[in-house]
Amino acid sequence: MGAPPGYRPSAWVHLLHQLPRADFQLRPVPSGFAPQEQEYQQALLLVVALAGLGLGLSLIFIAVYLIRFCCCRHPEPPGAKSLPPGGGCVTWSCIAALLVSCAGIGIGFYGNSETSDGVSQLSSALQHANHTLTAIDHLVLETVERLGEAVRTELTTLEEVLTQRTELVAATRGARRQAEAVAQQLQGLAFWRGVPLSPLQVAEEVSFVEEYRWLAYVLLLLLELLVCLFTLLGLAKQSKWLVIVMTVMSLLVLVLSWGSLGLEAATAVGLSDFCSSPDTYILNLTQEETGLGSDILNYYFLCNQAVSNPFQQRLTLSQRALANIHSQLQGLEREAVPQFPSAQKPLLSLEETMNVTEGNFHQLVALLHCRGLHKDYGAALRGLCEDALEGLLFLLLFSLLSAGALAAALCSLPRAWALFPPSDDYDDTDDDDPFNPQESKRFVQWQSSI
């Protein structure tokens, strides 16, 4: 099948499309995009399950590491004030992990923006296609109504005026038949009228889902950024309570990162399968949802010389009928106006109607050509399969970096706060404060001396 203009499957699409797929019984599954098939659904769910397995292994590793640290830690000699061997390395490794997580956050913001841009391009293409289809319906309706009004008024009046000349009445009735034939042919050009599927509705639904997806990722990125910043602040100020709270929050963000990683991986795999060969699936789905004939859908989705215009016959017949009406009106103007001056007004009105009809007809010819809608189809695919997929891969990288960095930080943070010096509750109290225990003791001694 012919590819839309400007769209070619990228290297990432080919790479992800070549990855093996398996169902829950680990049987191979074809990589063709078939979301309605149970085996294909299981293959995508298995990708999500792999992320869940990664989360489980991370939690087990962190738990084993911390248990070993707590149980195998050597007791410090009393009065020791120097850091144990490797203490500074632990703190700096924790800081390095948090900085890697911050770099991943920057990648995540870029990926979220790219994904949003791709979905916005898809939505814009759908809206433009809806505008084209609506314009076709509007032009057909306006032209048919205008021709019907001309048949009911001007041509009827003209027949009454020319009653005395039988040949002129016959020419007028011939123009009436031609106008009715044009109206009948034009009604068949509004192929999208009555179709339950609206591109505008699809665009609104896509935009609605994308808005909440974008917001959810922004909140996740900001949450992780705050956790990293407050953790670095706690390490800098050696605040044990702040580091403990951020450790718990890091565990929450670690779970969310693995969850988003699974969703992103499954979506990327499914999207690559769709983008590797989108025409077949889109044709079948559109035919199922709209009930349109395959000749119309093939013409607009493929738009190549091998597929003929399904409306060409109607357009040709309409153009011939309009030409015949013009010639008949010109003949009536030459023959009837000198003898029947009252026929001039309906004839002028008919000529004006035919001029507007011809203008609408030329617009319909341009709108019905496959170039416009096929260009929208290509723009939608580029937005979904290039920008959105690229952004999704950056989000996948963000989740991977975030999960790895947070796992390393969770292993280092307990060791880091264990190296903090013990806090003295009275170090920062004022000597003149009466609630200071030392000042209270001196006050009691002063009273006893009196």
Side-chain angles (χ1 to χ4, degrees), residues 128-129 131-133 135-137 139-140 186 189 191 299-300 303 309 311-312 315 319 357-376:
H128 192 270
H131 176 74
T132 301
L133 296 172
I136 292 173
D137 291 344
L139 281 174
V140 169
L186 291 179
L189 299 179
F191 65 94
Y299 175 66
Y300 285 110
C303 193
N309 188 345
F311 306 109
Q312 188 60 48
L315 293 173
Q319 189 174 14
T357 300
E358 282 194 345
N360 291 345
F361 177 77
H362 291 307
Q363 292 184 46
L364 278 173
V365 171
L367 289 173
L368 286 170
H369 197 277
C370 65
R371 284 191 303 265
L373 288 174
H374 191 65
K375 184 179 179 181
D376 294 333

Side-chain angles (χ1 to χ4, degrees), residues 362-421:
H362 291 307
Q363 292 184 46
L364 278 173
V365 171
L367 289 173
L368 286 170
H369 197 277
C370 65
R371 284 191 303 265
L373 288 174
H374 191 65
K375 184 179 179 181
D376 294 333
Y377 175 52
L381 285 182
R382 288 193 301 274
L384 187 63
C385 298
E386 293 179 3
D387 293 341
L389 182 59
E390 179 185 351
L392 196 60
L393 293 175
F394 277 106
L395 288 175
L396 186 65
L397 179 60
F398 148 71
S399 298
L400 192 60
L401 289 175
S402 175
L406 288 175
L410 284 170
C411 291
S412 302
L413 282 174
R415 296 188 62 184
W417 84 54
L419 299 175
F420 292 170

Side-chain angles (χ1 to χ4, degrees), residues 14 17 26 34 54 85 92 94 117 133 140 142 154 157 171 286 304 313 334 336 349 354 372-373 387 401 407 430 436:
H14 289 298
H17 186 61
L26 300 182
W92 283 109
C94 182
D117 290 343
L133 296 172
V140 169
E142 178 187 354
E154 284 87 356
T157 303
T286 308
N304 52 36
Q313 184 177 3
R334 288 194 306 269
S349 179
M354 295 311 300
L373 288 174
D387 293 341
L401 289 175
D430 191 358
N436 187 342

Side-chain angles (χ1 to χ4, degrees), residues 83 232-241 243 416 419-421 423:
L83 290 177
L232 291 173
L233 179 63
L235 292 173
K237 288 188 169 293
Q238 295 188 345
S239 175
K240 184 176 292 188
W241 70 268
V243 173
L419 299 175
F420 292 170
S423 60

Side-chain angles (χ1 to χ4, degrees), residues 269-314:
V269 170
L271 193 57
S272 68
D273 293 340
F274 168 78
C275 295
S276 62
S277 180
D279 293 339
T280 302
Y281 178 77
I282 291 294
L283 279 170
N284 294 334
L285 180 63
T286 308
Q287 187 171 13
E288 180 181 348
E289 294 292 333
T290 62
L292 294 175
S294 58
D295 55 342
I296 297 177
L297 297 178
N298 285 327
Y299 175 66
Y300 285 110
F301 282 113
L302 304 183
C303 193
N304 52 36
Q305 297 180 354
V307 182
S308 60
N309 188 345
F311 306 109
Q312 188 60 48
Q313 184 177 3
R314 289 181 179 274

Side-chain angles (χ1 to χ4, degrees), residues 132-310:
T132 301
L133 296 172
T134 305
I136 292 173
D137 291 344
H138 176 72
L139 281 174
V140 169
L141 180 62
E142 178 187 354
T143 307
V144 170
E145 288 181 351
R146 188 178 292 273
L147 287 174
E149 183 68 20
V151 169
R152 289 190 302 269
T153 56
E154 284 87 356
L155 286 174
T156 301
T157 303
L158 198 60
E159 286 184 18
E160 293 174 355
V161 172
L162 303 177
T163 307
Q164 300 177 4
R165 294 284 301 272
T166 306
E167 69 278 10
L168 297 180
V169 171
T172 304
R173 290 177 178 174
R176 175 195 291 269
R177 288 192 297 270
Q178 294 288 345
E180 292 174 347
V182 170
Q184 183 178 3
Q185 294 293 336
L186 291 179
Q187 286 179 347
L189 299 179
F191 65 94
W192 202 262
R193 184 182 301 169
V195 171
L197 180 64
S198 171
L200 180 61
Q201 182 180 359
V202 176
E204 291 176 349
E205 292 176 355
V206 168
S207 299
F208 178 79
V209 174
E210 170 58 20
E211 181 179 355
Y212 282 95
R213 185 212 64 81
W214 179 85
L215 180 61
Y217 266 99
V218 168
L219 293 177
L220 176 61
L221 291 165
L222 290 178
L223 175 62
E224 184 171 349
L225 180 61
L226 290 176
V227 169
C228 292
L229 293 179
F230 278 104
T231 304
L232 291 173
L233 179 63
L235 292 173
K237 288 188 169 293
Q238 295 188 345
S239 175
K240 184 176 292 188
W241 70 268
L242 183 57
V243 173
I244 291 175
V245 172
M246 290 301 106
T247 301
V248 176
M249 294 299 298
S250 297
L251 183 62
L252 172 63
V253 177
L254 175 67
V255 175
L256 294 177
S257 297
W258 277 107
S260 65
L261 178 65
L263 293 177
E264 292 151 7
T267 305
V269 170
L271 193 57
S272 68
D273 293 340
F274 168 78
C275 295
S276 62
S277 180
D279 293 339
T280 302
Y281 178 77
I282 291 294
L283 279 170
N284 294 334
L285 180 63
T286 308
Q287 187 171 13
E288 180 181 348
E289 294 292 333
T290 62
L292 294 175
S294 58
D295 55 342
I296 297 177
L297 297 178
N298 285 327
Y299 175 66
Y300 285 110
F301 282 113
L302 304 183
C303 193
N304 52 36
Q305 297 180 354
V307 182
S308 60
N309 188 345

